[in-house]
Structure formats: structure tokens, C-alpha cells
Amino acid sequence: MRFWIRLFIITALAWTQLAAAVFCEQTTRSTLIIGFTDNPGIIWQDSRLMYHGAAYEFSETISNYMNVKNSYVIGTPATTLQYLKSGIIDVIMLPAGEYYAGNGEPAPVNQPPGTISVALGRGIGWLLVDEKRPELAEQLRLAIATINKVNTFYQNDLQAKYHVTGNTLNLTDEERAYLEAHPVIRAMISPRQPPYAYLQDGQAMGVIGCIANRIEVDLGIRLEFVQADTHQNMMEKLTEGTADLVMDAYDDNNWAKAHNATLTFPYLALNYVAVMRKDKPLPEKPVIACARAHFYTQAHIEHMYPAEQRRYYLDVADCMAAVNNGDADMTFVKAITAQSDIYQGNYYNLYTNGNVVFSHAVAMAVSQNADPILVRILNKEIAHINPQDVYSIINSEVYRVHAKDTLQAFIYRNPLMSMAVLGSVLFLIIVTLLYIMWLRRKHTHDLWQQANIVSSAQTHNLHWFANELLPTINKYAKARQQGELFVVAISPQRVAFIKEIYGTKNYALAVKSIIDKVKAKLPWILRFGLSEEITHAYMLCKKPPGLTFRQAAERIEKASHIIDLNGVPTSFTYHIGICPVPRSGDLEAAILMDNAMMAHNEIIGKSKNIGLYNTAMHDELLQQQQMELYMEKALAAGEFQIFLQAKYDLTTKGIYGAEALVRWQSPELGFLGPGSFINLFERNGFAVQLDYYVLERVCQQLQERIRQGLTVVPISVNQTGLHITERGYLSRMQSIAERYKLPRKLVELELTETSFIDFTTKTENENALQITRRLKSMGYALSMDDFCTGYSSIAMLRNLPMDIMKVDRSMLTAAEQSERSHTILTQVIELGKRLGMTVLVEGIETPAQEALLQEAGCNIGQGFLFARPIPAEQFWEKYVD
């Protein structure tokens, strides 16, 4: 018996090991071994044994499309070729160099015999395969072709990222001899234009000055700057040959010839914006102040406006003064100097909207009296400078000039911050006085306060309000007979979130301050009662003359819209229910309060924030019943239409992707926006079917465009929190992914934290991590929607592998109103980037908000400033095709 038991166990173990080996062999990706030689910019290994370079990143992308994993072997060109021939490695990575066009694709001139070359792209290099393995070369070509089809700009992006052209400054012996013979070169820059260009103690400053310093270091020369009082004076000196070159000349050869000069390659692009007056609108035919000697005046402004609308001045400063004094209506200045021109010149009546009107490139103009070899040397230097260095110089110089602003300019530029500081001081004084008064009366009113006061907010509670309601109504009997009395139930939204972030005590103090403010501002609020949990309140009000009940409620909402929370002005929205006090008959306080709360509860989850207790509530319930009656038919008939709202790159204004939104074109109910039906569908569970409908429609559109060879962009689709408890959710999502076989991360799933949070414990549901991992393995990208509006956003970042952080618009609007909120927004964006997430901010509606986000480091945005939701067909035609 022992013998047979042992034999059975040994046989079972052997079969188990054999099955495991077969499974691993089937699931393990094969390895592609790549040999290379260190080449900065193309591929190299750092001190931590990490790989970098354009060719390295390209090869890693190729491995995903070949279903292999890469392994790298470093060596000399000779040893890697030997490894290739002996079969130790599969591929050699050959750096970019000279090439010739063969019968087919381009090939390197130094291609070793017996190899097949596969081009990665100009400036990146080639992959070399042994001629005995042509099938591997074809697999590589197919993968590269697929990548280029999905992203036609991928190779250019890699080149720009690693600056693979112009990394080294290779001067000929003749060029070095010229520099040794001319250690000092006379130069000029545009005068008096900080932070763009200006002279200080004979030294070039600003953006152009920093670039001049870089040229001095790279070429080993000294630039001696010739003083020029005006731009016109600078051009005259260049024409006369007083200086060898102008550092910031207009990139126009006709202009250069007119000033006896030759141009280098352009190295900078300047955008121009309009500067106008604040105190009067722009007339139909504005008078334009033009800088006479500036190239952009002739090249752009004179083509845009007729002669009778143009007035000429000596330079930009005179043009700004002319507009400020009312002699002209508008002028055009460089975008990077506009704010500095306004603040440094104390032109507080001027402003710019930030819209770029025209642009031109900037080059260096070399006097024709100088040796032409100087142009060739400067061209090599321009190619050598990384464009990212130029952008960094611009940002640092703009910040440096703003840092030198006067106190008057700072207050003018930051009125909200200045008002917030003053308001905080006044707030502290008021709180201190109230606290002293409270201490004096504390001992004599303890019992009364326990029964009638919310201790944390020091205001009357609901018990006091209920007792005072009927006596107060009787006191205003005449107003009641005229139908002017009404009861209000009001509650702020996101109370739990605010309490968690700022703490219950700070929240209570803030509510106390806003209650005092509202009572003082709106004397027609007769009585006020707050719940002990500070979640809702009741008011008895006397309708002001000329206002309806709804308009009076709007006054209450407006007066309490901004609450100072721990020094941070925070925007609050409310749900408000209104119950008119009957003109006659017996009254009960509890019934009046219940009716107001019924109107309040009826609007929760809807687009409205004010509800009136009357027959209209029954009409709304009827409409909801009609929507529930028609919703199944509407889904089957395709009445739900897909609209797309573009997401865009804040810097390039290029399309990054889009969000799929749904509209209902109902024959029975008319055209309905999502605010009319989404909350209802969330409550009755129909949102689950609608989510799948939208997802399928988006996948169909993307699949069809790929089939036709058209360009596609990532599309995000909202997912309701009901999916977390839906049986078969993951299997159905897997089925959709397998049916359409779209590229990974082309479809994004937008998930709010409410999808994964158990609000009874405020912790993640146990299967949240499993669900997110499974969805990512199917190829979906995961976006954390409405970030910073819920309970546990940080906890979700820590535990769930999300790809995209979508910051809620409320963070953006708060950042506009307070420096502290601005700091929080900046750190949230930085946190997302450090976690490897794409950070997107939604709700951008103004250029100022866009500029704020660019300053905060956000690159991707969404909002009405760039695009509104439009039908999907129009979106592809307008933004992609």
C-alpha cells in the first residue's frame, strides 16, 4: 500500500511540473536581444544601468507590437557585429549617420555586409538583422509601419525629446581660426523691452541676453554690445556697419537686404497680442499705434488696417503711452513683454486679452561688412542649442521681471489676494470680539444654549426655530395675509468632503461667519435655525418687495456663495426648498418645515438647486415617469445621440482626445440634455444599459475609422458607480474589448471615486483593485473623474492603478480666487505627474484660466474656451480630419 501511494504522489508531481512548464512556455513572451554602442541622444546606459535615447524608446515601443521583450547588450561596433553573426544577439542598433537611398527604403552608408537594415527614422538610426533572418526584418518593418500609422508624429516627437540633431558643435579648422582671430564681436539687441531684451550696465539682459551668454560660452568669444536708444537707431547702426550683428532680427531676407545684412537660421518665434483700454469699448474702426521702425508694422499691421487708422510712433513705449493717453485705441506688442509693459509702465488702464494676433520668427542679422563665415558659425550654434533651453530661458526671465514688480503693480495684478488678506484680518477681529462676548455671557446662558444653540457654530438650532416659527408668523400677520411669508430649507453640497478636508471645527466657524453675513445683508430673514450636524438649516423669510419667492431664495444663495474656510475663500452651492406660508387657516410648525424639506429633497440629484413646494413638483414627477416609460424604447431605437467634447493640449492647441457625452432626441419629450435624465437613470439603474450603449457606439466609430485608415484620438466614456455591484461586469467589458480589438488605451473609462468607495465606512470596496487591474489588462485606460471632490481621492491614488487624473472645475475656480487654492492645484498637478499619470483639468472657460493652468504645469485641458460638445460626426470633421 505504501509503495502504491508513493508511486501515485511521484506521478502527480511529475504531471504538475510538466503542465506548469507547458503553461509558462505558452504565456512567456520571447526575448529580442539587441546589441548597441553608447551614443548620446540615440541610445546610452547611465551610471544606474538605466537605458535612454530616441532609438531605445522606439525599440521598446516596437517590442509591444511584436509581443516580445527586449534585452540589451553593450559593446563596440565590431563585437556587436560578431555577436550578430554568431547568433548571440538578434539585432544591432546602428546610430543615425549618413545614408543613401537604395532600391527600397533608405539604408546607412556604413551598413556591414551580410546584414539587412530596417530604418527607425532620420536622426534616430537603423536596426540591423542578419541576412539569414529576413523574416525578423519583416516583423520589425511591420511593427514600425503599424506604429507610424497609429501615431504619424511619433518619430518627430522622439527627435525633439532627445534633440538628436545638433547635439554637438562641430566647427571646422577655418571656423575655429576665425573665432581665434575675432575674440570680440560687436553686437546689438532691441532696447528697453524687458523681459525680452534690454541692456543693463552695458550687459545684455532678458531672453536675448541669456541666449547671447550661451553663444559666448559655446564659441569662446565675447560679445561687445553697442548702445542703441531706439529700435530705429539700432537698424541705422546695423546698416552703417557700426556693429557686426543684431541678436534679435526679424526673419525676413528682404528686410535684411534693406539693412545690408545677412540672416542666420531662426531660433525663436515671437507672438504678438493686442493692448487696449479698459475704460471704453473698442470702436468699429480703431486707431492703431504703430512702432515706425519695427518690421512687424510693415509686415502685418499695415496689411491689417488702412492708412487712415494708423498712427506712427518712435518705439513700443511711445505706442503704449499713446493708447494709455487716449491718442490711439490699440497697439500690438510681444506676448512675453505685454504684462511687463503694462505693470512696469504703470498703465493700469490698459489690458491684453492674451489672444495671439500674428507671429514672426527671430534670427540673427550679420552685417555684410563682416566675414560670411560668421553666419555659418552662428547657424551651427543655433542648431546646437536645444529648443527646450530657449523655452526655459523665456519662462525664467518672465518670472524674474514679474518678481521685481512694485507693490502698487502687485496689488493691481492680485486684487483678490489683497482683498483676501484684508478680509482675513477683519474676520479675525470679528471672531475675537464675538469670542469675548461669548465668554462674558457663558455662565448665565449654559442651559439655554444647550437647548437652543448649535455649540460648534454658535447659532440657533432647529429646536429654537420650531418654537419661534409660529409666534413670529403671528407677529407678521399682515405680511402673511398678503402672501409674503415663506419657509426655506437649505443645505450646502459636499458637506462631508469639506468637513474631512478642513475639519468640523473650521467648517463650523466658517458657517457661523456666513450666517452673520447673510443675516446682516438680508434683513428680511426673520428667523434662522441650524441643525446640530451643520448639514442643513431652516429660515423664515418675508418676501422683499418686487421679488418672487424663487428670486428671494437666489438672493440667499448669492449672499452665502463664498465661505472663508481656514483663510481660503471657497465656493459653495446649495439645495434650497421653499414652502409658502398659507394666507389663512391653522398652522403647524412641523408641517411647514416638512413641506420645505420635501421641496428641498425633490431637487437633489437634478440640475436645479431651488425647489418650490407647489403643483409643479407633481408635474416633474410625471415627467420622470414619462422618461422611465420611454427609456427602453429610446435605447432600442437609437434615440440617444453621442456628442464629443474635445480635449486639447494647452500649449499647442492640438487635439489630445475627446469625452463622449450623451443627448436624448425623443419624439415624445423633445431634445433632452443629460441633466434631465442622468440622475433619474442613476437612481433606477438604467444608467448601466446606457453606459454600454455609449461604449459600443464609441468603439464602433473608432473601429470604422481605423478600418478606413483615418486618424483616431482617445475617447473617454463615463462609467456609473452601479457597475461595481453588477454581476458579469468584467466579462461583458472583456467581450467588448475582444469584439473591437482597438489599440490599447484608445478608449478611456472615466470613473468617479463614488464607484469604488463604501460611504458607510469611507473605504475602498474590497474588489476595487481587482476590477481596475482587470480593466487595464483588457486595454482600457482608466481616468479618475472629478478628482478632489469626493471623500478619498488620495486613497484611490495610493491603491488604484489609474492612468489619468481629471481635476474637477471647482479646483480651477477656487485657484482663481486664492493663492492658497492655486498652490493646492499646482501641487495636485505635480502629484499626478510624479505618479506617471496624465493630468487633465476640465471646465476651462476663459483665457485667464488657461494661462493659470499652463503656469501650474498642466498640459491637457477641456472646456468651452476651446470646444463645446458637438455631434460625433461633426467632431471628426472639424478637429481630426
Side-chain angles (χ1 to χ4, degrees):
M1 180 63 69
R2 285 195 298 270
F3 168 81
W4 287 110
I5 290 175
R6 291 182 185 134
L7 180 61
F8 175 80
I9 293 173
I10 292 172
T11 303
L13 290 174
W15 277 105
T16 301
Q17 293 176 352
L18 179 59
V22 172
F23 176 80
C24 292
E25 183 177 356
Q26 292 176 348
T27 58
T28 303
R29 298 168 68 180
S30 59
T31 302
L32 184 70
I33 304 176
I34 301 175
F36 72 96
T37 302
D38 262 345
N39 193 300
I42 305 301
I43 181 171
W44 76 94
Q45 189 178 41
D46 62 20
S47 58
R48 297 182 299 167
L49 304 182
M50 306 293 287
Y51 299 104
H52 308 276
Y56 166 70
E57 289 200 18
F58 206 155
S59 64
E60 286 296 304
T61 304
I62 291 172
S63 69
N64 293 326
Y65 285 81
M66 293 180 61
N67 196 28
V68 298
K69 60 181 180 180
N70 292 344
S71 177
Y72 297 89
V73 176
I74 190 171
T76 65
T79 57
T80 54
L81 181 60
Q82 183 179 358
Y83 291 161
L84 182 69
K85 291 298 184 180
S86 61
I88 296 176
I89 63 176
D90 302 303
V91 177
I92 294 177
M93 190 170 290
L94 188 65
E98 296 183 3
Y99 71 95
Y100 68 88
N103 295 330
E105 63 181 340
V109 295
N110 56 344
Q111 179 176 341
T115 62
I116 304 173
S117 66
V118 178
L120 293 175
R122 182 185 293 270
I124 299 179
W126 290 267
L127 298 177
L128 299 183
V129 182
D130 193 294
E131 64 181 2
K132 298 177 182 179
R133 302 182 66 184
E135 73 285 352
L136 177 57
E138 286 304 314
Q139 292 176 7
L140 291 169
R141 290 192 181 98
L142 178 60
I144 293 172
T146 303
I147 293 169
N148 291 335
K149 183 177 180 181
V150 173
N151 186 349
T152 56
F153 302 105
Y154 185 57
Q155 293 172 331
N156 294 334
D157 292 342
L158 288 178
Q159 292 177 2
K161 178 178 180 180
Y162 290 97
H163 193 45
V164 296
T165 58
N167 269 333
T168 58
L169 181 61
N170 296 319
L171 299 178
T172 64
D173 293 339
E174 180 185 9
E175 291 166 343
R176 294 185 185 278
Y178 175 84
L179 294 176
E180 292 176 359
H182 299 81
V184 178
I185 295 177
R186 298 170 303 166
M188 292 186 293
I189 64 173
S190 295
R192 299 187 302 166
Q193 295 190 55
Y196 171 64
Y198 60 101
L199 287 178
Q200 182 175 306
D201 299 328
Q203 296 295 319
M205 306 298 290
V207 174
I208 303 302
C210 291
I211 295 174
N213 292 339
R214 172 70 180 270
I215 293 174
E216 289 179 321
V217 173
D218 290 347
L219 300 183
I221 61 174
R222 181 172 67 85
L223 296 177
E224 183 181 273
F225 289 95
V226 178
Q227 181 75 35
D229 297 330
T230 65
H231 191 274
Q232 181 176 352
N233 181 235
M234 181 180 69
M235 295 299 98
E236 292 172 352
K237 291 185 177 183
L238 176 64
T239 306
E240 296 167 357
T242 305
D244 298 314
L245 67 92
V246 169
M247 290 293 301
D248 55 319
Y250 305 109
D251 185 32
D252 183 89
N253 286 297
N254 292 309
W255 175 91
K257 290 178 180 178
H259 294 85
N260 296 329
T262 304
L263 292 179
T264 66
F265 294 155
Y267 64 91
L268 180 66
L270 289 179
N271 298 324
Y272 286 78
V273 297
V275 174
M276 298 159 285
R277 293 172 59 88
K278 291 182 178 178
D279 58 355
K280 65 178 183 179
L282 201 64
E284 183 177 352
K285 294 183 178 181
V287 175
I288 311 300
C290 308
R292 185 181 302 279
H294 285 258
F295 166 78
Y296 65 82
T297 298
Q298 297 103 34
H300 297 283
I301 299 177
E302 291 182 354
H303 293 286
M304 296 165 59
Y305 297 94
E308 60 269 18
Q309 291 182 236
R310 303 193 301 265
R311 291 184 184 174
Y312 292 89
Y313 297 89
L314 187 60
D315 56 18
V316 173
D318 292 339
C319 293
M320 294 284 291
V323 177
N324 188 66
N325 297 334
D327 297 331
D329 299 310
M330 181 168 59
T331 189
F332 297 95
V333 299
K334 299 177 181 64
I336 62 175
T337 68
Q339 295 300 333
S340 176
D341 292 338
I342 292 173
Y343 298 140
Q344 296 291 336
N346 292 327
Y347 298 137
Y348 300 130
N349 193 36
L350 303 185
Y351 80 100
T352 176
N353 56 20
N355 295 331
V356 176
V357 181
F358 54 84
S359 305
H360 71 74
V362 174
M364 300 180 200
V366 179
S367 172
Q368 292 184 354
N369 296 330
D371 193 319
I373 196 174
L374 180 57
V375 176
R376 298 196 295 271
I377 294 173
L378 292 174
N379 280 339
K380 286 187 177 181
E381 171 64 12
I382 290 170
H384 168 63
I385 298 175
N386 192 327
Q388 295 297 330
D389 295 343
V390 177
Y391 298 146
S392 298
I393 289 172
I394 293 174
N395 292 334
S396 63
E397 288 303 310
V398 170
Y399 174 79
R400 184 177 302 172
V401 170
H402 282 181
K404 298 178 181 179
D405 283 346
T406 63
L407 177 62
Q408 182 182 3
F410 178 83
I411 294 174
Y412 177 80
R413 193 174 65 253
N414 301 278
L416 293 179
M417 181 186 298
S418 303
M419 292 177 62
V421 172
L422 179 60
S424 298
V425 173
L426 294 175
F427 173 76
L428 289 175
I429 294 174
I430 293 173
V431 170
T432 302
L433 292 175
L434 291 175
Y435 180 69
I436 293 174
M437 294 175 60
W438 176 79
L439 283 177
R440 295 179 61 184
R441 302 181 60 182
K442 178 178 181 297
H443 297 291
T444 57
H445 292 85
D446 280 348
L447 293 177
W448 185 87
Q449 287 180 334
Q450 290 179 11
N452 298 279
I453 297 295
V454 178
S455 59
S456 57
Q458 285 300 291
T459 191
H460 296 109
N461 61 17
L462 301 187
H463 175 265
W464 178 89
F465 179 84
N467 290 336
E468 288 290 318
L469 183 57
L470 294 184
T472 307
I473 291 175
N474 294 333
K475 180 179 178 180
Y476 291 88
K478 184 176 179 181
R480 177 193 176 187
Q481 294 172 1
Q482 295 174 351
E484 295 177 351
L485 298 184
F486 61 99
V487 177
V488 170
I490 181 172
S491 68
Q493 301 179 28
R494 302 184 296 127
V495 172
F497 170 74
I498 296 298
K499 285 184 177 180
E500 181 177 356
I501 295 298
Y502 294 96
T504 302
K505 182 178 179 181
N506 288 331
Y507 171 72
L509 290 174
V511 170
K512 166 63 177 167
S513 68
I514 199 64
I515 290 173
D516 293 341
K517 174 183 174 182
V518 171
K519 285 182 177 179
K521 189 173 183 179
L522 306 177
W524 41 267
I525 298 178
L526 308 178
R527 293 291 183 269
F528 185 98
L530 181 66
S531 67
E532 290 291 341
E533 302 79 14
I534 321 180
T535 56
H536 63 281
Y538 286 92
M539 304 177 189
L540 174 63
C541 305
K542 179 178 179 292
K543 184 171 65 67
L547 297 183
T548 64
F549 291 140
R550 184 176 298 275
Q551 290 171 336
E554 290 172 351
R555 291 280 182 91
I556 296 173
E557 182 181 34
K558 183 178 180 180
S560 54
H561 181 59
I562 300 298
I563 296 182
D564 195 312
L565 273 167
N566 200 23
V568 179
T570 304
S571 175
F572 269 53
T573 54
Y574 299 85
H575 290 129
I576 300 176
I578 303 171
C579 175
V581 176
R583 296 171 182 262
S584 60
D586 296 333
L587 298 176
E588 290 187 27
I591 293 178
L592 290 174
M593 295 169 65
D594 289 344
N595 289 344
M597 184 55 69
M598 185 183 303
H600 167 279
N601 293 339
E602 181 61 24
I603 61 173
I604 294 179
K606 301 180 180 178
S607 59
K608 299 184 296 184
N609 60 352
I610 298 177
L612 183 65
Y613 181 78
N614 55 22
T615 56
M617 294 176 57
H618 298 287
D619 297 336
E620 186 175 349
L621 291 175
L622 179 61
Q623 184 185 28
Q624 291 183 6
Q625 293 173 355
Q626 290 178 323
M627 286 191 288
E628 290 184 316
L629 177 66
Y630 295 125
M631 62 186 185
E632 296 285 353
K633 185 270 294 183
L635 189 65
E639 294 175 9
F640 293 102
Q641 300 178 358
I642 306 301
F643 277 51
L644 297 179
Q645 183 178 20
K647 304 173 184 176
Y648 70 108
D649 189 304
L650 299 183
T651 303
T652 66
K653 300 302 186 293
I655 291 294
Y656 169 79
E659 179 181 4
L661 304 169
V662 65
R663 303 291 188 267
W664 185 359
Q665 183 62 61
S666 171
E668 298 84 4
L669 305 175
F671 185 82
L672 300 177
S676 302
F677 55 83
I678 287 296
N679 290 329
L680 172 63
F681 291 175
E682 290 274 0
R683 293 197 300 270
N684 64 22
F686 186 71
V688 171
Q689 298 182 51
L690 186 58
D691 279 355
Y692 287 125
Y693 171 87
V694 174
L695 178 60
E696 291 268 359
R697 290 286 299 275
V698 168
C699 290
Q700 290 169 6
Q701 290 183 12
L702 293 173
Q703 184 187 58
E704 179 61 21
R705 290 185 64 84
I706 292 174
R707 187 188 66 79
Q708 296 178 11
L710 300 176
T711 303
V712 294
V713 296
I715 305 296
S716 61
V717 180
N718 289 286
Q719 293 278 282
T720 176
L722 300 175
H723 290 297
I724 195 69
T725 56
E726 178 192 358
R727 296 185 61 182
Y729 171 59
L730 290 176
S731 60
R732 186 162 182 180
M733 295 297 286
Q734 180 74 49
S735 174
I736 294 173
E738 293 175 353
R739 186 181 315 127
Y740 295 101
K741 294 183 174 59
L742 297 173
R744 295 184 65 83
K745 298 189 177 181
L746 190 58
V747 175
E748 302 172 3
L749 303 180
E750 290 194 8
L751 307 169
T752 60
E753 67 179 23
T754 55
S755 303
F756 297 110
I757 298 300
D758 182 352
F759 286 93
T760 59
T761 61
K762 299 181 184 177
T763 59
E764 295 93 350
N765 284 295
E766 294 181 356
N767 56 348
L769 181 59
Q770 176 190 359
I771 290 176
T772 52
R773 285 179 173 174
R774 287 285 306 279
L775 290 173
K776 286 173 66 70
S777 70
M778 299 173 195
Y780 299 106
L782 300 184
S783 173
M784 184 184 296
D785 196 11
D786 297 336
F787 185 77
C788 286
T789 61
Y791 285 94
S792 306
S793 296
I794 299 300
M796 289 183 67
L797 282 180
R798 184 182 70 245
N799 299 327
L800 302 181
M802 311 299 281
D803 302 298
I804 301 151
M805 176 191 293
K806 191 171 185 183
V807 181
D808 188 74
R809 168 176 166 75
S810 61
M811 291 291 294
L812 175 59
T813 55
E816 286 184 295
Q817 300 171 9
S818 104
E819 185 65 25
R820 186 161 182 170
S821 296
H822 183 279
T823 300
I824 294 173
L825 176 61
T826 302
Q827 294 304 315
V828 166
I829 293 171
E830 178 65 21
L831 173 62
K833 288 183 175 180
R834 286 182 176 271
L835 293 176
M837 303 174 70
T838 298
V839 181
L840 179 149
V841 178
E842 62 182 353
I844 305 173
E845 296 182 355
T846 65
Q849 292 175 340
E850 186 180 69
L852 183 150
L853 290 175
Q854 289 178 317
E855 179 186 353
C858 180
N859 299 325
I860 308 300
Q862 179 182 353
F864 289 171
L865 176 64
F866 184 78
R868 291 178 177 269
I870 57 177
E873 297 77 9
Q874 297 180 20
F875 170 85
W876 297 113
E877 294 175 1
K878 181 176 182 180
Y879 294 110
V880 180
D881 296 337

